[in-house]
Amino acid sequence: MQLLEEDLAPLRALGWPDDDASREALAAAAGHRLARVASQHRTAYDVATGPDEMQMKVQPPMPWTRPRFPPDQRAAVGDWVTLDESGKTIVDLLPRRSILKRGAAGEHHRQQLIAANVDHVLVVVGLDQDFNPRRIERYLVLIRASGADPVLVLTKADQCEIVEDCIDLLAEVADSGVPIHAVNSKDPDSTAVLHPYLGPGRTVVLVGSSGAGKSTLTNTLLGREKMKTNAVRANDSRGRHTTTARVLLPLPQGGCLIDTPGMREVKLSGDEDVADAFEDVEALAANCRFRDCAHVNEPGCAVQAAVEDGSLDEARYANYAKLRDEMEAAATSLAERKADARVLNKALNKRLKDKYGRR
């Protein structure tokens, strides 16, 4: 598929990277028109072909509607797709530069796609009762596996008298290279510190709890009241879901922003590596006496020694161990589901061959 330069120009305002890899992927794709997924409905998608064309509803390909079709092979908000000649049906899904996903809420182990082709994930955390270093660490595990870079945005800084103390509690996060910005989400001058992540060709996604200030921050960055906002509860600083669906929005800074509903549960999907978000713990583990040390009660465990002498925060280590075990359980479940899918596909192919014969 080849597009003219004038066809690609409006797509750059939607984050089209227009590099060699993207052009090669586009050339190999089927279809007649390039678009970006702006929002997702139960049976359809809204796609955009330019910054002022955000409400074109299209249908998914027939295979995507089948119950056993792999969820990660369906489009997510932020994906680039090609459309048929009529512009009403998706034909092809272009390869992703990044994909942020989590384990779906509930007891079952399934993956839920959050956003695709994002450069930075802005973790929005309120400097009130929403502030939880352990939950932040959980977000970072998910983001490190996505291919995007994490940025921590501490909102409600104007309402907090201990901002620096809160930032000090995130020393390990800062040491791992994650930028931390404390802002007043209602103040454009305060949120201007985020503009370097929002330039032309860039896409960010906001994640965080309900009531953390994602919609307020979105409105300030947009320069208008686009997203509905609500007050939070006084007893726990939580809010109702004012954002009910993921939506991609072009920004005046030149990039795009994907706002998402608040996450009550941040489950691992099984594709993560906890070590990526706990480099300090992994560095200590390299000095353990045994290579397969579980860091529980083995002799010569450098991790437990660091916990005992206070150089490693006990709560941080406990969260590391919890996430490691959760990741292993999710990875096992993911492997089992893939094995079951292979068995089902093999059985289906055999039935088809028995019924219709080999072709």
Short mmCIF file of all heavy atoms in Angstrom, two decimals, residues 12-79:
data_model
loop_
_atom_site.label_atom_id
_atom_site.label_comp_id
_atom_site.label_asym_id
_atom_site.label_seq_id
_atom_site.Cartn_x
_atom_site.Cartn_y
_atom_site.Cartn_z
N ARG A 12 0.43 12.86 10.43
CA ARG A 12 1.54 13.19 11.33
C ARG A 12 1.03 13.88 12.59
O ARG A 12 1.63 13.75 13.66
CB ARG A 12 2.56 14.06 10.60
CG ARG A 12 3.28 13.32 9.46
CD ARG A 12 4.52 14.07 9.00
NE ARG A 12 5.14 13.37 7.89
CZ ARG A 12 4.97 13.68 6.61
NH1 ARG A 12 4.19 14.71 6.30
NH2 ARG A 12 5.56 13.00 5.66
N ALA A 13 -0.08 14.62 12.45
CA ALA A 13 -0.67 15.27 13.63
C ALA A 13 -1.31 14.25 14.56
O ALA A 13 -1.66 14.57 15.69
CB ALA A 13 -1.70 16.30 13.19
N LEU A 14 -1.45 13.00 14.09
CA LEU A 14 -1.99 11.92 14.92
C LEU A 14 -0.88 11.00 15.43
O LEU A 14 -1.16 9.95 16.00
CB LEU A 14 -3.01 11.09 14.12
CG LEU A 14 -4.26 11.83 13.66
CD1 LEU A 14 -5.12 10.90 12.81
CD2 LEU A 14 -5.06 12.33 14.85
N GLY A 15 0.37 11.40 15.19
CA GLY A 15 1.48 10.61 15.72
C GLY A 15 2.13 9.67 14.72
O GLY A 15 2.95 8.84 15.13
N TRP A 16 1.78 9.74 13.44
CA TRP A 16 2.42 8.87 12.45
C TRP A 16 3.92 9.13 12.43
O TRP A 16 4.36 10.24 12.16
CB TRP A 16 1.83 9.11 11.07
CG TRP A 16 2.51 8.33 9.96
CD1 TRP A 16 3.29 8.84 8.97
CD2 TRP A 16 2.47 6.92 9.76
NE1 TRP A 16 3.73 7.84 8.15
CE2 TRP A 16 3.25 6.63 8.61
CE3 TRP A 16 1.86 5.85 10.42
CZ2 TRP A 16 3.42 5.34 8.10
CZ3 TRP A 16 2.04 4.56 9.93
CH2 TRP A 16 2.80 4.32 8.80
N PRO A 17 4.76 8.12 12.73
CA PRO A 17 6.21 8.35 12.86
C PRO A 17 6.90 8.63 11.54
O PRO A 17 7.94 9.30 11.51
CB PRO A 17 6.72 7.05 13.50
CG PRO A 17 5.68 6.03 13.15
CD PRO A 17 4.37 6.74 13.09
N ASP A 18 6.39 8.07 10.43
CA ASP A 18 6.93 8.35 9.10
C ASP A 18 8.42 8.04 9.01
O ASP A 18 9.18 8.78 8.37
CB ASP A 18 6.66 9.81 8.71
CG ASP A 18 6.70 10.00 7.18
OD1 ASP A 18 6.38 9.02 6.48
OD2 ASP A 18 7.06 11.09 6.72
N ASP A 19 8.84 6.95 9.65
CA ASP A 19 10.23 6.52 9.52
C ASP A 19 10.29 5.34 8.55
O ASP A 19 9.28 4.90 7.99
CB ASP A 19 10.81 6.14 10.88
CG ASP A 19 9.95 5.13 11.63
OD1 ASP A 19 9.12 4.43 10.97
OD2 ASP A 19 10.07 5.03 12.85
N ASP A 20 11.50 4.84 8.32
CA ASP A 20 11.67 3.76 7.34
C ASP A 20 10.86 2.51 7.72
O ASP A 20 10.23 1.89 6.86
CB ASP A 20 13.15 3.40 7.22
CG ASP A 20 13.96 4.49 6.54
OD1 ASP A 20 13.34 5.35 5.87
OD2 ASP A 20 15.20 4.50 6.69
N ALA A 21 10.88 2.15 9.01
CA ALA A 21 10.16 0.95 9.44
C ALA A 21 8.65 1.11 9.22
O ALA A 21 7.98 0.17 8.77
CB ALA A 21 10.44 0.67 10.92
N SER A 22 8.13 2.30 9.51
CA SER A 22 6.70 2.54 9.33
C SER A 22 6.31 2.52 7.86
O SER A 22 5.27 1.97 7.48
CB SER A 22 6.31 3.89 9.94
OG SER A 22 6.58 3.89 11.33
N ARG A 23 7.15 3.10 7.02
CA ARG A 23 6.86 3.10 5.58
C ARG A 23 6.92 1.69 5.00
O ARG A 23 6.12 1.34 4.13
CB ARG A 23 7.82 4.04 4.85
CG ARG A 23 7.53 5.52 5.09
CD ARG A 23 8.49 6.41 4.33
NE ARG A 23 8.13 7.82 4.48
CZ ARG A 23 7.34 8.48 3.63
NH1 ARG A 23 6.82 7.85 2.59
NH2 ARG A 23 7.05 9.75 3.81
N GLU A 24 7.86 0.87 5.47
CA GLU A 24 7.94 -0.51 5.00
C GLU A 24 6.71 -1.30 5.44
O GLU A 24 6.16 -2.09 4.67
CB GLU A 24 9.21 -1.17 5.55
CG GLU A 24 10.49 -0.67 4.91
CD GLU A 24 11.72 -1.30 5.52
OE1 GLU A 24 11.56 -2.25 6.32
OE2 GLU A 24 12.84 -0.86 5.21
N ALA A 25 6.28 -1.09 6.68
CA ALA A 25 5.08 -1.78 7.17
C ALA A 25 3.85 -1.36 6.38
O ALA A 25 3.00 -2.19 6.05
CB ALA A 25 4.88 -1.47 8.65
N LEU A 26 3.76 -0.08 6.06
CA LEU A 26 2.62 0.41 5.29
C LEU A 26 2.65 -0.15 3.87
O LEU A 26 1.60 -0.54 3.34
CB LEU A 26 2.65 1.94 5.25
CG LEU A 26 1.51 2.64 4.52
CD1 LEU A 26 0.17 2.27 5.15
CD2 LEU A 26 1.70 4.15 4.53
N ALA A 27 3.83 -0.24 3.28
CA ALA A 27 3.94 -0.77 1.92
C ALA A 27 3.51 -2.23 1.85
O ALA A 27 2.97 -2.69 0.84
CB ALA A 27 5.37 -0.61 1.41
N ALA A 28 3.74 -2.98 2.95
CA ALA A 28 3.41 -4.41 2.97
C ALA A 28 1.96 -4.67 3.34
O ALA A 28 1.48 -5.79 3.19
CB ALA A 28 4.33 -5.14 3.96
N ALA A 29 1.25 -3.64 3.82
CA ALA A 29 -0.12 -3.82 4.29
C ALA A 29 -1.11 -3.79 3.13
O ALA A 29 -0.89 -3.13 2.12
CB ALA A 29 -0.47 -2.73 5.30
N ALA A 30 -2.21 -4.51 3.33
CA ALA A 30 -3.31 -4.45 2.38
C ALA A 30 -4.23 -3.29 2.76
O ALA A 30 -4.16 -2.78 3.88
CB ALA A 30 -4.09 -5.77 2.40
N GLY A 31 -5.10 -2.90 1.82
CA GLY A 31 -6.03 -1.82 2.12
C GLY A 31 -5.78 -0.60 1.26
O GLY A 31 -4.83 -0.55 0.48
N HIS A 32 -6.64 0.40 1.42
CA HIS A 32 -6.58 1.58 0.56
C HIS A 32 -6.39 2.88 1.34
O HIS A 32 -6.14 3.92 0.73
CB HIS A 32 -7.89 1.69 -0.25
CG HIS A 32 -8.10 0.56 -1.20
ND1 HIS A 32 -7.68 0.60 -2.52
CD2 HIS A 32 -8.66 -0.66 -1.02
CE1 HIS A 32 -7.99 -0.54 -3.11
NE2 HIS A 32 -8.59 -1.31 -2.23
N ARG A 33 -6.51 2.85 2.65
CA ARG A 33 -6.48 4.09 3.42
C ARG A 33 -5.89 3.83 4.80
O ARG A 33 -6.20 2.82 5.43
CB ARG A 33 -7.90 4.64 3.55
CG ARG A 33 -8.01 6.06 4.03
CD ARG A 33 -9.48 6.48 3.99
NE ARG A 33 -9.67 7.87 4.33
CZ ARG A 33 -10.86 8.45 4.43
NH1 ARG A 33 -11.95 7.75 4.20
NH2 ARG A 33 -10.97 9.73 4.75
N LEU A 34 -5.04 4.71 5.27
CA LEU A 34 -4.41 4.57 6.59
C LEU A 34 -5.19 5.39 7.62
O LEU A 34 -5.61 6.51 7.33
CB LEU A 34 -2.96 5.04 6.53
CG LEU A 34 -2.15 4.99 7.82
CD1 LEU A 34 -1.98 3.55 8.31
CD2 LEU A 34 -0.78 5.64 7.62
N ALA A 35 -5.38 4.84 8.80
CA ALA A 35 -6.11 5.54 9.87
C ALA A 35 -5.56 5.08 11.21
O ALA A 35 -4.88 4.06 11.32
CB ALA A 35 -7.61 5.26 9.78
N ARG A 36 -5.87 5.85 12.25
CA ARG A 36 -5.45 5.49 13.61
C ARG A 36 -6.68 5.27 14.47
O ARG A 36 -7.64 6.06 14.41
CB ARG A 36 -4.57 6.57 14.24
CG ARG A 36 -3.86 6.07 15.49
CD ARG A 36 -2.81 7.02 16.01
NE ARG A 36 -1.95 6.34 16.97
CZ ARG A 36 -1.05 6.91 17.73
NH1 ARG A 36 -0.86 8.23 17.64
NH2 ARG A 36 -0.32 6.22 18.58
N VAL A 37 -6.66 4.23 15.28
CA VAL A 37 -7.80 3.92 16.14
C VAL A 37 -7.87 4.96 17.26
O VAL A 37 -6.93 5.12 18.04
CB VAL A 37 -7.68 2.50 16.73
CG1 VAL A 37 -8.82 2.23 17.70
CG2 VAL A 37 -7.69 1.47 15.61
N ALA A 38 -9.01 5.67 17.33
CA ALA A 38 -9.19 6.73 18.32
C ALA A 38 -9.98 6.27 19.52
O ALA A 38 -9.80 6.78 20.63
CB ALA A 38 -9.87 7.93 17.68
N SER A 39 -10.90 5.31 19.34
CA SER A 39 -11.65 4.74 20.45
C SER A 39 -12.23 3.41 20.02
O SER A 39 -12.30 3.11 18.81
CB SER A 39 -12.76 5.70 20.93
OG SER A 39 -13.71 5.93 19.90
N GLN A 40 -12.63 2.62 20.98
CA GLN A 40 -13.10 1.27 20.71
C GLN A 40 -14.46 1.05 21.36
O GLN A 40 -14.68 1.43 22.51
CB GLN A 40 -12.09 0.24 21.25
CG GLN A 40 -12.47 -1.21 21.01
CD GLN A 40 -11.40 -2.16 21.53
OE1 GLN A 40 -10.37 -1.73 22.04
NE2 GLN A 40 -11.65 -3.45 21.41
N HIS A 41 -15.39 0.48 20.61
CA HIS A 41 -16.71 0.13 21.12
C HIS A 41 -16.82 -1.39 21.17
O HIS A 41 -15.91 -2.12 20.78
CB HIS A 41 -17.80 0.74 20.24
CG HIS A 41 -17.64 2.22 20.05
ND1 HIS A 41 -17.97 3.14 21.02
CD2 HIS A 41 -17.14 2.93 19.00
CE1 HIS A 41 -17.72 4.36 20.58
NE2 HIS A 41 -17.19 4.26 19.37
N ARG A 42 -17.96 -1.87 21.61
CA ARG A 42 -18.14 -3.32 21.74
C ARG A 42 -18.00 -4.03 20.40
O ARG A 42 -17.41 -5.11 20.31
CB ARG A 42 -19.50 -3.62 22.36
CG ARG A 42 -19.71 -5.08 22.75
CD ARG A 42 -21.04 -5.26 23.45
NE ARG A 42 -21.08 -4.51 24.69
CZ ARG A 42 -20.63 -4.98 25.86
NH1 ARG A 42 -20.08 -6.17 25.93
NH2 ARG A 42 -20.73 -4.24 26.94
N THR A 43 -18.56 -3.46 19.34
CA THR A 43 -18.55 -4.13 18.04
C THR A 43 -17.97 -3.27 16.92
O THR A 43 -18.09 -3.63 15.75
CB THR A 43 -19.98 -4.56 17.64
OG1 THR A 43 -20.81 -3.39 17.56
CG2 THR A 43 -20.54 -5.53 18.66
N ALA A 44 -17.39 -2.14 17.24
CA ALA A 44 -16.87 -1.26 16.19
C ALA A 44 -15.75 -0.39 16.77
O ALA A 44 -15.47 -0.41 17.97
CB ALA A 44 -17.99 -0.39 15.63
N TYR A 45 -15.11 0.37 15.87
CA TYR A 45 -14.04 1.28 16.25
C TYR A 45 -14.32 2.66 15.67
O TYR A 45 -14.94 2.79 14.62
CB TYR A 45 -12.69 0.80 15.69
CG TYR A 45 -12.19 -0.50 16.27
CD1 TYR A 45 -12.54 -1.72 15.70
CD2 TYR A 45 -11.34 -0.52 17.38
CE1 TYR A 45 -12.07 -2.92 16.21
CE2 TYR A 45 -10.86 -1.70 17.89
CZ TYR A 45 -11.23 -2.91 17.32
OH TYR A 45 -10.76 -4.09 17.83
N ASP A 46 -13.85 3.70 16.37
CA ASP A 46 -13.77 5.03 15.79
C ASP A 46 -12.32 5.23 15.37
O ASP A 46 -11.40 5.00 16.17
CB ASP A 46 -14.16 6.11 16.80
CG ASP A 46 -15.65 6.16 17.05
OD1 ASP A 46 -16.41 5.65 16.19
OD2 ASP A 46 -16.06 6.69 18.09
N VAL A 47 -12.11 5.65 14.12
CA VAL A 47 -10.76 5.87 13.63
C VAL A 47 -10.63 7.30 13.15
O VAL A 47 -11.63 7.97 12.85
CB VAL A 47 -10.39 4.89 12.50
CG1 VAL A 47 -10.48 3.46 12.98
CG2 VAL A 47 -11.27 5.11 11.27
N ALA A 48 -9.40 7.76 13.08
CA ALA A 48 -9.11 9.12 12.64
C ALA A 48 -8.18 9.07 11.44
O ALA A 48 -7.25 8.26 11.40
CB ALA A 48 -8.49 9.92 13.77
N THR A 49 -8.43 9.93 10.47
CA THR A 49 -7.53 10.06 9.32
C THR A 49 -6.90 11.45 9.28
O THR A 49 -6.18 11.78 8.34
CB THR A 49 -8.30 9.81 8.01
OG1 THR A 49 -9.42 10.71 7.94
CG2 THR A 49 -8.79 8.37 7.95
N GLY A 50 -7.16 12.24 10.31
CA GLY A 50 -6.59 13.57 10.43
C GLY A 50 -7.01 14.17 11.75
O GLY A 50 -7.92 13.65 12.42
N PRO A 51 -6.38 15.24 12.19
CA PRO A 51 -6.68 15.82 13.51
C PRO A 51 -8.11 16.33 13.65
O PRO A 51 -8.60 16.46 14.77
CB PRO A 51 -5.67 16.97 13.63
CG PRO A 51 -5.29 17.30 12.22
CD PRO A 51 -5.36 16.01 11.46
N ASP A 52 -8.77 16.59 12.54
CA ASP A 52 -10.13 17.11 12.60
C ASP A 52 -11.16 16.07 12.18
O ASP A 52 -12.34 16.38 12.02
CB ASP A 52 -10.28 18.35 11.70
CG ASP A 52 -9.35 19.47 12.13
OD1 ASP A 52 -9.20 19.66 13.36
OD2 ASP A 52 -8.77 20.13 11.25
N GLU A 53 -10.73 14.82 11.98
CA GLU A 53 -11.64 13.75 11.57
C GLU A 53 -11.53 12.61 12.57
O GLU A 53 -10.83 11.63 12.36
CB GLU A 53 -11.30 13.26 10.17
CG GLU A 53 -11.37 14.34 9.11
CD GLU A 53 -10.92 13.84 7.75
OE1 GLU A 53 -11.12 12.64 7.47
OE2 GLU A 53 -10.35 14.63 6.99
N MET A 54 -12.24 12.75 13.71
CA MET A 54 -12.06 11.81 14.81
C MET A 54 -13.26 10.88 15.04
O MET A 54 -13.27 10.10 15.96
CB MET A 54 -11.80 12.58 16.10
CG MET A 54 -10.53 13.41 16.08
SD MET A 54 -9.04 12.40 15.95
CE MET A 54 -9.09 11.55 17.52
N GLN A 55 -14.30 10.95 14.21
CA GLN A 55 -15.51 10.21 14.52
C GLN A 55 -15.97 9.27 13.41
O GLN A 55 -17.15 9.01 13.27
CB GLN A 55 -16.65 11.20 14.85
CG GLN A 55 -16.40 12.06 16.07
CD GLN A 55 -16.27 11.24 17.35
OE1 GLN A 55 -16.91 10.20 17.47
NE2 GLN A 55 -15.44 11.69 18.27
N MET A 56 -15.05 8.75 12.61
CA MET A 56 -15.43 7.84 11.54
C MET A 56 -15.51 6.42 12.09
O MET A 56 -14.51 5.83 12.49
CB MET A 56 -14.42 7.92 10.40
CG MET A 56 -14.85 7.16 9.16
SD MET A 56 -13.86 7.59 7.72
CE MET A 56 -12.26 6.96 8.23
N LYS A 57 -16.71 5.85 12.14
CA LYS A 57 -16.91 4.52 12.71
C LYS A 57 -16.67 3.47 11.64
O LYS A 57 -17.17 3.57 10.52
CB LYS A 57 -18.32 4.39 13.27
CG LYS A 57 -18.58 3.07 14.00
CD LYS A 57 -19.84 3.13 14.82
CE LYS A 57 -19.65 4.03 16.04
NZ LYS A 57 -20.80 3.97 16.97
N VAL A 58 -15.89 2.44 11.99
CA VAL A 58 -15.58 1.36 11.06
C VAL A 58 -15.80 0.02 11.75
O VAL A 58 -15.83 -0.07 12.98
CB VAL A 58 -14.12 1.45 10.54
CG1 VAL A 58 -13.89 2.76 9.80
CG2 VAL A 58 -13.13 1.32 11.70
N GLN A 59 -15.94 -1.01 10.94
CA GLN A 59 -16.17 -2.36 11.44
C GLN A 59 -14.87 -3.15 11.45
O GLN A 59 -13.99 -2.93 10.61
CB GLN A 59 -17.20 -3.08 10.56
CG GLN A 59 -18.56 -2.40 10.52
CD GLN A 59 -19.19 -2.29 11.89
OE1 GLN A 59 -19.19 -3.26 12.66
NE2 GLN A 59 -19.73 -1.12 12.21
N PRO A 60 -14.71 -4.09 12.39
CA PRO A 60 -13.51 -4.93 12.41
C PRO A 60 -13.60 -6.01 11.34
O PRO A 60 -14.69 -6.34 10.86
CB PRO A 60 -13.55 -5.54 13.82
CG PRO A 60 -15.02 -5.62 14.14
CD PRO A 60 -15.64 -4.40 13.50
N PRO A 61 -12.46 -6.62 10.97
CA PRO A 61 -12.51 -7.77 10.06
C PRO A 61 -13.27 -8.92 10.72
O PRO A 61 -13.29 -9.04 11.95
CB PRO A 61 -11.03 -8.13 9.87
CG PRO A 61 -10.26 -6.94 10.33
CD PRO A 61 -11.10 -6.26 11.36
N MET A 62 -13.87 -9.77 9.93
CA MET A 62 -14.68 -10.86 10.47
C MET A 62 -13.93 -11.75 11.46
O MET A 62 -14.48 -12.11 12.51
CB MET A 62 -15.24 -11.71 9.31
CG MET A 62 -16.21 -12.78 9.78
SD MET A 62 -17.66 -12.11 10.65
CE MET A 62 -18.44 -11.21 9.31
N PRO A 63 -12.65 -12.12 11.21
CA PRO A 63 -11.97 -12.99 12.18
C PRO A 63 -11.88 -12.38 13.58
O PRO A 63 -11.86 -13.12 14.57
CB PRO A 63 -10.58 -13.17 11.56
CG PRO A 63 -10.78 -12.97 10.10
CD PRO A 63 -11.83 -11.91 10.00
N TRP A 64 -11.80 -11.05 13.69
CA TRP A 64 -11.68 -10.42 15.00
C TRP A 64 -12.92 -10.64 15.86
O TRP A 64 -12.85 -10.53 17.08
CB TRP A 64 -11.46 -8.91 14.86
CG TRP A 64 -10.14 -8.53 14.24
CD1 TRP A 64 -9.25 -9.36 13.63
CD2 TRP A 64 -9.58 -7.22 14.17
NE1 TRP A 64 -8.17 -8.65 13.16
CE2 TRP A 64 -8.35 -7.34 13.48
CE3 TRP A 64 -10.00 -5.97 14.60
CZ2 TRP A 64 -7.53 -6.25 13.23
CZ3 TRP A 64 -9.20 -4.87 14.35
CH2 TRP A 64 -7.96 -5.01 13.67
N THR A 65 -14.06 -10.92 15.24
CA THR A 65 -15.32 -11.05 15.98
C THR A 65 -15.51 -12.44 16.57
O THR A 65 -16.44 -12.66 17.34
CB THR A 65 -16.52 -10.74 15.07
OG1 THR A 65 -16.59 -11.72 14.01
CG2 THR A 65 -16.37 -9.35 14.44
N ARG A 66 -14.64 -13.38 16.23
CA ARG A 66 -14.76 -14.74 16.74
C ARG A 66 -14.26 -14.82 18.17
O ARG A 66 -13.22 -14.24 18.51
CB ARG A 66 -14.00 -15.71 15.84
CG ARG A 66 -14.59 -15.78 14.43
CD ARG A 66 -13.68 -16.50 13.46
NE ARG A 66 -14.23 -16.46 12.11
CZ ARG A 66 -13.52 -16.64 11.01
NH1 ARG A 66 -12.21 -16.89 11.11
NH2 ARG A 66 -14.08 -16.57 9.82
N PRO A 67 -14.96 -15.53 19.05
CA PRO A 67 -14.62 -15.55 20.48
C PRO A 67 -13.20 -15.99 20.78
O PRO A 67 -12.58 -15.49 21.71
CB PRO A 67 -15.64 -16.54 21.07
CG PRO A 67 -16.79 -16.52 20.10
CD PRO A 67 -16.18 -16.31 18.76
N ARG A 68 -12.67 -16.93 20.02
CA ARG A 68 -11.34 -17.47 20.31
C ARG A 68 -10.22 -16.73 19.60
O ARG A 68 -9.06 -17.12 19.68
CB ARG A 68 -11.28 -18.96 19.96
CG ARG A 68 -12.15 -19.82 20.86
CD ARG A 68 -11.87 -21.30 20.66
NE ARG A 68 -12.68 -22.12 21.54
CZ ARG A 68 -12.36 -22.41 22.79
NH1 ARG A 68 -11.24 -21.94 23.30
NH2 ARG A 68 -13.14 -23.18 23.53
N PHE A 69 -10.55 -15.64 18.90
CA PHE A 69 -9.50 -14.87 18.23
C PHE A 69 -8.62 -14.21 19.29
O PHE A 69 -9.13 -13.61 20.24
CB PHE A 69 -10.12 -13.81 17.32
CG PHE A 69 -9.11 -13.15 16.41
CD1 PHE A 69 -8.76 -13.75 15.21
CD2 PHE A 69 -8.52 -11.95 16.76
CE1 PHE A 69 -7.83 -13.14 14.36
CE2 PHE A 69 -7.59 -11.34 15.93
CZ PHE A 69 -7.24 -11.94 14.72
N PRO A 70 -7.28 -14.32 19.18
CA PRO A 70 -6.38 -13.76 20.22
C PRO A 70 -6.63 -12.27 20.44
O PRO A 70 -6.58 -11.48 19.49
CB PRO A 70 -4.99 -14.02 19.66
CG PRO A 70 -5.15 -15.15 18.70
CD PRO A 70 -6.53 -14.98 18.11
N PRO A 71 -6.90 -11.85 21.68
CA PRO A 71 -7.19 -10.43 21.95
C PRO A 71 -6.06 -9.49 21.53
O PRO A 71 -6.32 -8.38 21.08
CB PRO A 71 -7.39 -10.40 23.47
CG PRO A 71 -7.76 -11.79 23.85
CD PRO A 71 -7.02 -12.67 22.89
N ASP A 72 -4.80 -9.95 21.66
CA ASP A 72 -3.69 -9.06 21.33
C ASP A 72 -3.52 -8.86 19.83
O ASP A 72 -2.71 -8.04 19.40
CB ASP A 72 -2.39 -9.57 21.95
CG ASP A 72 -1.99 -10.95 21.44
OD1 ASP A 72 -2.87 -11.66 20.91
OD2 ASP A 72 -0.81 -11.31 21.55
N GLN A 73 -4.28 -9.61 19.03
CA GLN A 73 -4.22 -9.43 17.58
C GLN A 73 -5.36 -8.57 17.06
O GLN A 73 -5.46 -8.31 15.86
CB GLN A 73 -4.23 -10.80 16.88
CG GLN A 73 -2.99 -11.63 17.18
CD GLN A 73 -2.99 -12.97 16.47
OE1 GLN A 73 -3.59 -13.13 15.41
NE2 GLN A 73 -2.31 -13.95 17.05
N ARG A 74 -6.25 -8.14 17.97
CA ARG A 74 -7.25 -7.15 17.62
C ARG A 74 -6.67 -5.75 17.85
O ARG A 74 -5.73 -5.58 18.61
CB ARG A 74 -8.51 -7.33 18.47
CG ARG A 74 -9.22 -8.65 18.32
CD ARG A 74 -10.53 -8.63 19.10
NE ARG A 74 -11.27 -9.87 18.97
CZ ARG A 74 -11.33 -10.82 19.91
NH1 ARG A 74 -10.68 -10.64 21.06
NH2 ARG A 74 -12.01 -11.92 19.70
N ALA A 75 -7.26 -4.76 17.21
CA ALA A 75 -6.76 -3.39 17.35
C ALA A 75 -7.08 -2.83 18.73
O ALA A 75 -8.10 -3.17 19.34
CB ALA A 75 -7.37 -2.50 16.27
N ALA A 76 -6.21 -1.97 19.22
CA ALA A 76 -6.41 -1.22 20.45
C ALA A 76 -6.33 0.27 20.11
O ALA A 76 -5.89 0.65 19.02
CB ALA A 76 -5.35 -1.59 21.49
N VAL A 77 -6.75 1.11 21.03
CA VAL A 77 -6.64 2.55 20.83
C VAL A 77 -5.16 2.91 20.64
O VAL A 77 -4.30 2.49 21.41
CB VAL A 77 -7.23 3.33 22.01
CG1 VAL A 77 -7.00 4.83 21.85
CG2 VAL A 77 -8.72 3.03 22.15
N GLY A 78 -4.87 3.65 19.58
CA GLY A 78 -3.50 4.00 19.24
C GLY A 78 -2.93 3.18 18.11
O GLY A 78 -1.88 3.54 17.54
N ASP A 79 -3.59 2.08 17.74
CA ASP A 79 -3.10 1.25 16.64
C ASP A 79 -3.29 1.96 15.31
O ASP A 79 -4.22 2.74 15.11
CB ASP A 79 -3.85 -0.09 16.61
CG ASP A 79 -3.11 -1.19 17.34
OD1 ASP A 79 -1.87 -1.25 17.22
OD2 ASP A 79 -3.75 -2.01 18.02
#
